[in-house]
């Protein structure tokens, strides 16, 4: 490709394609580095999200689900990061992971009515009406009048 580009230095399409290949290689190298940190248990909280994002970008959805579940179940992230994880996974339509993250959030922040409201909305979207009503009732119980509105 670089030889072709040398023959036609004005080929913008070839240059863009080559740049995309280089960018992908940098991201793959970074993913490998982060996976090694994960195996060695030296990964930082922010790096979990970076690795998760790279996995999703490469289409490694099952690996991303496994990592997200690990982050939730092993208490690798705090309650605010659980919300961030839920948002990230919702954007990728991984609603079973969103449900786990929000459930864990409500366990850590049981007095936050917003957590319960978000969980109840998700339960409704997942057609889990009984669980939705339970979450909604809890939101009203802990949130009082503002939660009713």
């Amino acid at each position: 490709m670089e030889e072709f580009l040398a023959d036609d230095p004005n080929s913008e399409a070839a240059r863009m394609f080559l740049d995309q290949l280089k960018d992908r290689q940098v991201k793959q190298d970074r993913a490998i580095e982060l996976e090694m940190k994960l195996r060695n248990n030296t990964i930082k909280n922010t790096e979990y999200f970076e690795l998760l994002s790279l996995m999703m970008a490469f289409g490694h959805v099952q690996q991303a689900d496994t990592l997200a579940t690990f982050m939730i179940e092993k208490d690798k992230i705090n309650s605010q990061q659980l919300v961030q994880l839920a948002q990230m996974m919702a954007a990728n339509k991984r609603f079973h992971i969103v449900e786990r993250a929000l459930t864990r959030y409500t366990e850590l922040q049981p007095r936050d009515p917003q957590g319960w409201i978000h969980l109840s909305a998700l339960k409704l979207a997942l057609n889990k009406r009984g669980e939705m009503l339970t979450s909604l009732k809890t939101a009203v119980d802990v949130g009082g009048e503002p939660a009713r509105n």
Side-chain angles (χ1 to χ4, degrees):
M1 180 56 90
E2 289 179 11
E3 294 167 6
F4 173 75
L5 194 56
D7 291 341
D8 186 7
N10 295 324
S11 176
E12 187 62 30
R15 182 170 310 286
M16 286 175 41
F17 181 68
L18 187 58
D19 289 345
Q20 287 176 346
L21 289 176
K22 288 177 183 177
D23 183 54
R24 183 170 176 84
Q25 186 60 51
V26 167
K27 288 178 180 177
Q28 285 177 330
D29 292 346
R30 180 63 176 158
I32 290 168
E33 177 187 345
L34 291 171
E35 287 172 352
M36 290 300 294
K37 285 182 154 191
L38 180 63
R39 284 189 199 101
N40 295 330
N41 203 28
T42 59
I43 194 167
K44 298 175 186 165
N45 279 6
T46 55
E47 292 173 326
Y48 279 117
F49 286 95
E50 183 181 358
L51 180 56
L52 194 59
S53 189
L54 288 169
M55 288 175 170
M56 295 302 284
F58 290 135
H60 302 158
V61 178
Q62 191 59 44
Q63 286 177 305
D65 285 356
T66 300
L67 177 59
T69 300
F70 172 78
M71 292 164 64
I72 295 165
E73 292 178 357
K74 301 298 181 187
D75 292 326
K76 297 295 182 181
I77 54 178
N78 63 38
S79 59
Q80 285 309 109
Q81 290 168 323
L82 283 166
V83 172
Q84 181 183 351
L85 176 63
Q87 291 169 337
M88 175 186 267
M89 298 310 275
N92 288 287
K93 298 184 181 356
R94 308 305 295 163
F95 298 117
H96 63 288
I97 301 295
V98 176
E99 182 178 19
R100 286 182 179 177
L102 290 176
T103 299
R104 183 68 184 131
Y105 177 84
T106 57
E107 291 169 359
L108 295 174
Q109 301 292 330
R111 305 292 309 158
D112 180 4
Q114 287 300 312
W116 291 104
I117 289 169
H118 291 303
L119 183 58
S120 67
L122 178 67
K123 298 282 188 180
L124 178 63
L126 296 175
N127 203 25
K128 296 182 176 182
R129 297 190 190 285
E131 294 176 36
M132 181 273 301
L133 290 172
T134 302
S135 297
L136 195 55
K137 180 184 179 320
T138 304
V140 171
D141 289 347
V142 300
E145 191 61 35
R148 285 184 181 91
N149 299 327

